[in-house]
Amino acid sequence: VSGSTNSGIHLISSANNTITANTCSGGLNGLFLGASSNGNTIKKNIVSGNGGKGIQIDSSNDNTVVYNSMSGNGVGFSSSVSSTANNQIYNNSLINNTTQVSSNIGAGNFYNKSAPVGGNYFSNYDTEAEGCFDLNGDGFCDSPYVFWNGQDNLPWTRDNGWCSKPNLSLKAPQSLWASYSDYTARELSVNWTIRNNGGLPAYDVK
């Protein structure tokens, strides 16, 4: 969706949707949830170069905003009404937006989960010169990223830090007849076991 004069994707009173893998660029606003659009998942979208808001939640609750890239927008992420609450915004990349996050007074949203999931990446808060110190080497800034009426308590020091490659291994396969009918049909089954030997969780393993 390119060059929209309002919002590239706009939901009103629409609940429990999954909005994923879209590109909204070069318009007024990218992606907008408003007026009781509750329980939606906004995931893996690219929202860039919009003059207004990249992703905006307005009067909507219990939404999840995760794994999105918001870059070069007027505002990266916006929560614009005080009744907007209990939204989960984490593991997103906010890169070179004029304002990274705008949160209204009283908006009770959550911008990070506990480690190792953590919060979001902010391009203006990833070096020591910008106040981001990582003295214990856990991948998170030691101090929160504070913005208007809110903060991310576990901002990542690097983009896509949550996608670090886990230490996966395959166990030697086991061959077997799954059933007597498979035996008579000469259909042999092979079971593989995949194990994560690392300290980071593995998501969406394929």
Side-chain angles (χ1 to χ4, degrees):
V1 183
S2 178
S4 172
T5 57
N6 191 348
S7 296
I9 298 174
H10 193 134
L11 270 62
I12 294 182
S13 301
S14 186
N16 302 316
N17 301 286
T18 298
I19 304 171
T20 185
N22 300 283
T23 299
C24 299
S25 63
L28 178 59
N29 299 306
L31 202 154
F32 181 91
L33 299 183
S36 302
S37 293
N38 303 323
N40 297 288
T41 299
I42 304 173
K43 182 178 181 180
K44 296 183 179 178
N45 299 283
I46 298 173
V47 185
S48 63
N50 298 286
K53 315 292 176 55
I55 296 177
Q56 179 174 352
I57 297 179
D58 186 351
S59 303
S60 300
N61 307 316
D62 303 308
N63 297 288
T64 299
V65 181
V66 62
Y67 305 146
N68 300 283
S69 175
M70 294 163 263
S71 63
N73 304 287
V75 177
F77 175 81
S78 174
S79 174
S80 59
V81 175
S82 59
S83 60
T84 299
N86 203 37
N87 296 290
Q88 309 281 331
I89 304 101
Y90 63 93
N91 288 183
N92 300 285
S93 300
L94 292 107
I95 302 171
N96 298 333
N97 300 286
T98 304
T99 300
Q100 299 281 47
V101 179
S102 176
S103 180
N104 198 291
I105 296 174
N109 298 312
F110 301 93
Y111 292 90
N112 63 269
K113 290 183 173 291
S114 300
V117 177
N120 303 277
Y121 167 76
F122 303 90
S123 62
N124 61 329
Y125 194 64
D126 61 355
T127 65
E128 292 184 359
E130 295 165 336
C132 173
F133 294 86
D134 182 16
L135 300 180
N136 59 0
D138 62 357
F140 303 115
C141 303
D142 297 334
S143 298
Y145 178 77
V146 180
F147 45 84
W148 180 254
N149 297 317
Q151 64 186 45
D152 183 335
N153 294 318
L154 290 172
W156 282 89
T157 60
R158 60 190 183 280
D159 193 10
N160 289 315
W162 49 90
C163 293
S164 297
K165 186 177 181 180
N167 182 14
L168 301 180
S169 63
L170 283 174
K171 185 179 177 181
Q174 176 189 10
S175 302
L176 70 154
W177 304 111
S179 66
Y180 181 74
S181 60
D182 283 359
Y183 171 76
T184 58
R186 297 184 177 185
E187 293 182 358
L188 186 64
S189 296
V190 180
N191 289 344
W192 292 85
T193 299
I194 188 169
R195 174 176 294 181
N196 183 3
N197 303 298
L200 292 174
Y203 299 102
D204 298 328
V205 177
K206 298 179 182 178

